[in-house]
């Protein structure tokens, strides 16, 4: 049986979502990467941080709400602004591998900490 939530629970959830989005924008404002599509990209990259670095072309799919053409620009912009690091692939020189920089990972972790605390009271 699914738990039924009350209007106050739903209201706290909606407020938490807006607070989280706003925190992302504030956290990344100094980088010029406050758009929530970067949230999708950086958060998914953070989730996959223990695996091998993805190819640059694989990153475009991590931003499902924008076109591939726009995603190409977003990824390059994040590289240019120092939030993503690009390197050559040693086994295939045609590929460029991309990782979060330590500065980006730190910001993502602050964002995730805020997200956890924002939802801690929702549904109680």
């Amino acid at each position: 049986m699914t738990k039924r939530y009350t209007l106050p629970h739903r209201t706290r959830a909606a407020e938490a979502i807006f607070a989280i989005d706003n925190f992302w924008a504030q956290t990344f404002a100094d980088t010029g990467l406050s758009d929530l599509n970067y949230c999708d990209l950086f958060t998914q990259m953070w989730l996959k941080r223990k695996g091998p670095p993805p190819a640059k072309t694989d990153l475009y799919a991590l931003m499902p709400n924008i076109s591939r053409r726009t995603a190409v620009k977003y990824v390059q912009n994040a590289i240019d602004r120092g939030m993503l690091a690009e390197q050559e692939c040693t086994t295939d020189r045609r590929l460029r591998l991309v990782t979060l920089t330590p500065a980006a990972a730190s910001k993502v972790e602050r964002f995730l900490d805020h997200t956890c605390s924002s939802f801690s009271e929702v549904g109680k």
Side-chain angles (χ1 to χ4, degrees):
M1 180 181 203
T2 304
K3 180 177 180 179
R4 302 290 281 165
Y5 292 99
T6 65
L7 183 58
H9 290 134
R10 292 178 185 133
T11 300
R12 283 197 297 272
E15 290 168 348
I17 291 167
F18 285 123
I20 290 164
D21 290 351
N22 192 30
F23 190 83
W24 177 271
Q26 291 173 0
T27 301
F28 281 87
D30 64 325
T31 66
L33 307 174
S34 60
D35 184 296
L36 290 177
N37 290 298
Y38 288 110
C39 181
D40 292 342
L41 173 63
F42 293 168
T43 302
Q44 289 196 66
M45 290 183 73
W46 184 87
L47 284 169
K48 299 173 183 187
R49 69 196 178 285
K50 299 295 182 189
K56 187 176 184 179
T57 54
D58 292 338
L59 299 181
Y60 310 143
L62 302 181
M63 293 177 282
N65 297 312
I66 57 176
S67 70
R68 182 177 174 86
R69 182 179 200 154
T70 301
V72 169
K73 294 175 188 176
Y74 273 52
V75 168
Q76 189 59 51
N77 189 34
I79 292 168
D80 294 345
R81 292 178 180 264
M83 293 290 105
L84 296 179
E86 183 178 31
Q87 64 190 34
E88 280 187 13
C89 176
T90 57
T91 58
D92 187 343
R93 299 191 71 130
R94 297 170 296 172
L95 295 179
R96 304 292 292 173
L97 304 178
V98 180
T99 57
L100 285 173
T101 63
S106 176
K107 286 179 180 284
V108 169
E109 288 171 0
R110 278 195 1 245
F111 167 73
L112 293 172
D113 290 347
H114 174 78
T115 300
C116 290
S117 66
S118 292
F119 279 118
S120 66
E121 294 300 314
V122 174
K124 287 186 177 180

